[in-house]
């Protein structure tokens, strides 16, 4: 098989790149290790920056999102039983959108099918060859048979555990990582959201987040120990702990119900440099991870796709390689700012096991300063709604 761009990974970033390029007449093949149903069964984030929303519109896959999404003009931050609102619309004249990653992925799969895009599922033993040459190719197996795709470029959108990053030699890449000493226990429940905006809560018992997917589907998180298992937490135990960590006015009206999904996610910050090696480009989780506190995971992947998509357009339509030559530099400049914001939000709102009384006073002072200072709120809002590409 021959294509112009081989895309490793059939999640939202790989599908979005494929859809965008297809609409410009550039041929792609997407390789996905799992089945479509498996990919759509993964529960992920749902806060979309304006830049991501605009990419979905440019890709021609925004109709359902525009009809069903929740537009959020702000968020609530609480410390103990006090709370205040960060008004995105007032501070930045911009909002964010709540639309689940599963729905984004579903819309992109439907669009690829409608355009006869090539997505190969159950692609195992994927290997990237000759990435540092002028003639890269990708091999994979399906049903025990080996296949080969010759291509001009390879986009590695296959996540933290994928093959793409590992293809870049250790002598070339450098990795930066911070592991946090806690995780997030999250549940999904068919209950109405407790509030029409997200609630980020810093309490003496640990962090909590109240989020949602739609008017009858809520997503809640509490900070937990890394040694915990979802089986350690009954639904009742989760609801009781969540109520203890959010302001009483919300705890009193929280609608509870059976969880339809329950999982624990460890928190880490991770970046690999560079994000390009020869004709291989890393995108999304293949190159960087952020703790979910700042809602940047999917959105940082979207910014990568923006830079790579425009670079490939310049290459194929204008014969100009400036975009692909500067891809890693541009992507990383924005990534490190998103990493900083997510790291800062995580430190602002969580309880760390080694925090001293002094540390707790500094955390409280930081939150109080944010509450009382419009300039500080503006900085948070600018980062939350998304820095410009």
């Amino acid at each position: 098989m021959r294509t112009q761009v081989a895309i490793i990974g059939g999640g939202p970033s790989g599908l979005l790149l494929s859809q965008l390029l297809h609409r410009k007449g550039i041929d792609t093949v997407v390789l996905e290790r799992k089945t479509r149903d498996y990919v759509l069964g993964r529960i992920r984030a749902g806060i979309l920056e304006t830049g991501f929303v605009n990419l979905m519109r440019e890709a021609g896959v925004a109709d359902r999102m525009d009809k069903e999404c929740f537009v959020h003009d702000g968020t609530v931050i609480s410390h103990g039983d006090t709370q205040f609102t960060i008004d995105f619309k007032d501070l930045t004249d911009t909002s964010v959108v709540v639309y689940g990653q599963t729905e984004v992925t579903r819309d992109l799969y439907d669009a690829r099918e409608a355009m006869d895009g090539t997505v190969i599922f159950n692609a195992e033993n994927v290997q990237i060859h000759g990435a540092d040459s002028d003639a890269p190719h990708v091999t994979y197996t399906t049903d025990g048979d080996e296949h080969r795709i010759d291509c001009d470029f390879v986009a590695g959108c296959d996540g933290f555990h994928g093959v793409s990053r590992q293809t870049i030699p250790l002598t070339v890449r450098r990795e930066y990582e911070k592991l946090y000493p806690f995780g997030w226990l999250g549940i999904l429940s068919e209950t109405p959201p407790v509030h029409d905006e997200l609630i980020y809560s810093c309490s003496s018992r640990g962090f909590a987040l109240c989020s949602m997917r739609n008017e009858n589907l809520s997503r809640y998180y509490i900070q937990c120990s890394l040694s915990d298992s979802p089986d350690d937490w009954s639904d009742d135990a989760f609801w009781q702990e969540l109520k203890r960590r959010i302001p009483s006015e919300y705890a009193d009206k929280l609608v509870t119900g059976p969880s339809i999904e329950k999982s624990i996610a460890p928190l880490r910050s991770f970046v690999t440099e560079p994000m390009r090696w020869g004709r291989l480009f890393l995108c999304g989780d293949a190159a960087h991870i952020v703790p979910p506190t700042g809602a940047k995971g999917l959105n940082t992947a979207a910014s990568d796709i923006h830079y790579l998509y425009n670079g490939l357009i310049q290459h194929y339509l204008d014969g100009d390689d400036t975009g692909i030559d500067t891809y890693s530099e541009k992507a990383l400049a924005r990534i490190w700012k998103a990493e900083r914001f997510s790291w800062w939000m995580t430190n602002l709102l969580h309880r760390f096991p080694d925090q001293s009384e002094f540390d707790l006073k500094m955390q409280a002072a930081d939150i109080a300063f944010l509450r009382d200072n419009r300039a500080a709120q503006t900085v948070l809002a600018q980062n939350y709604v998304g820095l410009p590409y």
Side-chain angles (χ1 to χ4, degrees), residues 159-191:
F160 183 77
H161 299 289
V163 68
S164 296
R165 184 177 71 258
Q166 305 300 327
T167 299
I168 302 177
L170 285 171
T171 54
V172 175
R173 62 184 159 98
R174 181 173 182 182
E175 298 181 348
Y176 305 83
E177 185 174 41
K178 177 178 177 59
L179 301 178
Y180 298 87
F182 42 73
W184 277 16
L185 170 64
I187 72 166
L188 197 66
S189 64
E190 292 178 326
T191 56

Side-chain angles (χ1 to χ4, degrees), residues 124 172 250 354:
E124 300 179 328
V172 175
Y250 300 117
D354 60 348

Side-chain angles (χ1 to χ4, degrees), residues 60-114:
V61 291
D63 288 351
R64 192 164 73 96
M65 177 189 70
D66 286 336
K67 291 176 183 176
E68 299 180 8
C69 73
F70 286 175
V71 177
H72 277 214
D73 293 332
T75 192
V76 174
I77 293 179
S78 73
H79 183 231
D81 216 37
T82 64
Q83 59 181 291
F84 57 97
T85 298
I86 306 294
D87 191 327
F88 303 148
K89 193 70 173 177
D90 174 54
L91 295 164
T92 69
D93 199 31
T94 309
S95 303
V96 294
V97 158
V98 176
Y99 189 66
Q101 180 172 321
T102 300
E103 304 311 312
V104 169
T105 309
R106 191 186 311 279
D107 294 343
L108 286 164
Y109 272 136
D110 290 346
R112 299 314 298 125
E113 288 182 3

Side-chain angles (χ1 to χ4, degrees), residues 90-291:
D90 174 54
L91 295 164
T92 69
D93 199 31
T94 309
S95 303
V96 294
V97 158
V98 176
Y99 189 66
Q101 180 172 321
T102 300
E103 304 311 312
V104 169
T105 309
R106 191 186 311 279
D107 294 343
L108 286 164
Y109 272 136
D110 290 346
R112 299 314 298 125
E113 288 182 3
M115 297 179 72
D116 293 324
T118 304
V119 181
I120 299 170
F121 295 100
N122 298 308
E124 300 179 328
N125 303 316
V126 174
Q127 296 184 49
I128 302 167
H129 308 269
D132 58 341
S133 73
D134 291 334
H137 68 278
V138 177
T139 58
Y140 65 97
T141 59
T142 53
D143 299 323
D145 296 326
E146 183 170 293
H147 305 271
R148 170 174 170 148
I149 303 174
D150 291 284
C151 55
D152 300 330
F153 301 100
V154 180
C157 305
D158 51 348
F160 183 77
H161 299 289
V163 68
S164 296
R165 184 177 71 258
Q166 305 300 327
T167 299
I168 302 177
L170 285 171
T171 54
V172 175
R173 62 184 159 98
R174 181 173 182 182
E175 298 181 348
Y176 305 83
E177 185 174 41
K178 177 178 177 59
L179 301 178
Y180 298 87
F182 42 73
W184 277 16
L185 170 64
I187 72 166
L188 197 66
S189 64
E190 292 178 326
T191 56
V194 70
H195 189 49
D196 58 0
E197 302 286 7
L198 271 66
I199 302 171
Y200 285 85
S201 179
C202 175
S203 82
S204 61
R205 301 181 65 88
F207 170 81
L209 172 62
C210 302
S211 183
M212 73 286 290
R213 291 295 175 268
N214 58 48
E215 61 188 12
N216 197 45
L217 191 62
S218 297
R219 185 71 162 158
Y220 296 105
Y221 301 93
I222 57 173
Q223 176 184 345
C224 68
S225 170
L226 287 173
S227 62
D228 284 359
S229 162
D231 295 334
D232 298 333
W233 289 84
S234 67
D235 288 351
D236 286 343
F238 177 91
W239 291 121
Q240 290 303 315
E241 185 61 29
L242 177 65
K243 289 180 179 180
R244 294 186 186 106
R245 298 189 187 190
I246 62 177
S248 56
E249 72 171 89
Y250 300 117
D252 292 343
K253 65 180 182 180
L254 179 70
V255 178
T256 65
S259 63
I260 58 176
E261 191 271 345
K262 187 186 298 178
S263 59
I264 291 179
L267 271 63
R268 65 153 50 95
S269 299
F270 174 86
V271 180
T272 189
E273 296 182 346
M275 289 173 58
R276 178 198 181 183
W277 183 55
R279 291 177 173 249
L280 168 63
F281 301 87
L282 303 182
C283 302
D285 287 358
H288 43 78
I289 302 284
V290 290

Side-chain angles (χ1 to χ4, degrees), residues 332-342 383 387:
L332 283 167
R334 192 178 189 276
I335 290 306
W336 276 115
K337 293 172 185 175
E339 291 278 346
R340 184 213 65 82
F341 176 67
S342 299
N383 281 271
L387 299 175

